[in-house]
Amino acid sequence: MRLRTTAAAALGALALVVSLPGSASAAEGEFAYTYTTPLGHRQAVALLAPPSRDCVTLPGVADPNTSDPADKPWNNTDATATVFTGPDCTGDHYTLRPNGGNASSRLKLRSVVFS
């Protein structure tokens, strides 16, 4: 009897752990943006299946001292994207809806976090 109770409790705990969202979850889809390289070339970048709930400092525009910020963000993920004017999700922020939310070149960004 005691073995059955222990086994049932262990199975219940396993089911609970499996049902909880993990830190390894990712937004499905892609997030894209453009920026100007130090040589003056326009570059388009896409993040595929970006991590959820983790701040992502955007490649190519991380350092405010050596690069201009990115612009024209396009959120084609299944999660809300909150973009920030500074690296490490600092500064002013703006939210882009999932599945096609976008903004013009007037919106400047250096980092993003997905819900």
Side-chain angles (χ1 to χ4, degrees), residues 4-115:
R4 260 190 292 193
T5 304
T6 303
L11 188 58
L14 178 62
L16 179 62
V17 168
V18 170
S19 69
L20 292 175
S23 61
S25 64
E28 295 290 326
E30 89 176 12
F31 177 82
Y33 62 94
T34 61
Y35 73 98
T36 303
T37 68
L39 297 176
H41 299 34
R42 290 295 288 169
Q43 182 76 34
V45 177
L47 304 176
L48 301 176
S52 295
R53 298 179 200 87
D54 290 335
C55 181
V56 177
T57 298
L58 301 176
V61 298
D63 187 353
N65 297 318
T66 61
S67 66
D68 290 332
D71 57 27
K72 295 184 182 176
W74 181 64
N75 181 26
N76 199 31
T77 70
D78 62 352
T80 299
T82 303
V83 298
F84 294 84
T85 58
D88 302 317
C89 295
T90 60
D92 294 334
H93 66 279
Y94 183 81
T95 302
L96 299 172
R97 66 179 170 77
N99 302 312
N102 61 74
S104 72
S105 60
R106 294 185 308 180
L107 180 62
K108 305 300 182 188
L109 61 146
R110 292 190 188 273
S111 55
V112 62
V113 65
F114 297 89
S115 63

